[in-house]
Structures are given as C-alpha cells and as structure tokens.
Amino acid sequence: MPKGQCHCGAIRYEMPGEVAHHAACHCTDCRRATGAPLVSWALTSAEAIRIEGTPRVYASSEHGRRHFCGDCGTSLFYTNEVIFPGMIDVQSATLDDPGEIPIQAQIQTAERIGWMATLHELPAFERYPAP
Ligand SMILES: [Zn+2]
Ligand SMILES: [Zn+2]
C-alpha cells in the first residue's frame, strides 16, 4: 500500500494504490489553501485509508473540509460529504513515492495560472542553476 505523510511526520497514512480518480487540480481554492500552483488529488474510500495522527480540519467551503497537519501545516486530505460521501481525496504529492499512482487528468483549467500551461517550455535544470 502506498504510504505518505506530512512534512514533520506527525500525520502518516497508507492508502490503496488503486484509486477512483487521480487528477491535478488548477482551481483557485486548492491554490490558496496550499500555496502551490496545482494540487494532485487521489480519491479513495474513507474506509480504505489508514491515518495515524489527527489532522486539523478547516471548512474551506459550505461542505468542503480540508485536513492538514496542525504542527507543520502540510495540507493532506479533502472531504465533502455532499459531493463524494464516504470518500476522501488525498494530496498525492505527500506520498513517499508520488509517481506510484498514475495521474489521469488535469481539472479546473479554467482557473489555471496562465504560465502553468507552458511550464514545460521553460529552461529546466536538474539542480539549482549555476549563479
Ligand atoms: Zn506535520
Ligand atoms: Zn481544486
């Protein structure tokens, strides 16, 4: 089972490698909540995931709940009992091996940062570029 954790390790989890959906979200809400230009989400059953530690929960919309580590601030999970009852969205970039679960789609591109669409065209360096 793929394993993941927050930055400080106070919250650890194990989830199935087979997920209902795995998508990279460009929405403004995800961006604001994480500080990242895009957030990848792997949707799985809330019963199938094992979570150690107790995340803090923030109501980011009427029914949306964002779960994060209260110690280090890493955002980890999203639940919404109206849109997907009994399921939990996992921020797959917090997996020990984030490439382990294949990604299927980009969503909410209507709200994507303009430069994200052409990011792959920028100069790329394996490490920090030489000064
Ligand atoms: Zn933490
Ligand atoms: Zn989003």
Side-chain angles (χ1 to χ4, degrees):
M1 295 241 283
K3 291 180 171 56
Q5 65 169 72
C6 65
H7 193 274
C8 77
I11 313 286
R12 296 176 190 273
Y13 65 89
E14 267 187 42
M15 66 181 292
E18 296 274 322
V19 295
H21 197 245
H22 188 196
C25 187
H26 291 276
C27 87
T28 306
D29 241 29
C30 286
R31 187 159 67 236
R32 185 75 77 188
T34 61
L38 126 170
V39 181
S40 57
W41 293 106
L43 185 66
T44 190
S45 152
E47 282 182 2
I49 190 168
R50 297 278 168 272
I51 299 171
E52 280 175 42
T54 307
R56 285 190 59 186
V57 180
Y58 165 63
S60 61
S61 63
E62 187 181 359
H63 301 292
R65 298 292 179 269
R66 290 178 186 268
H67 307 238
F68 63 98
C69 176
D71 292 333
C72 71
T74 303
S75 59
L76 294 157
F77 314 115
Y78 177 90
T79 52
N80 190 317
E81 287 305 316
V82 172
I83 296 175
F84 43 81
M87 306 290 280
I88 184 166
D89 240 349
V90 178
Q91 285 197 208
S92 61
T94 63
L95 286 165
D96 295 346
D97 178 4
E100 191 173 354
I101 301 174
I103 197 146
Q104 300 157 329
Q106 298 186 59
I107 58 174
Q108 300 278 44
T109 57
E111 296 178 11
R112 179 170 59 193
I113 299 172
W115 49 255
M116 280 296 283
T118 52
L119 198 63
H120 62 284
E121 294 173 4
L122 293 178
F125 305 90
E126 281 198 16
R127 302 293 178 199
Y128 296 116

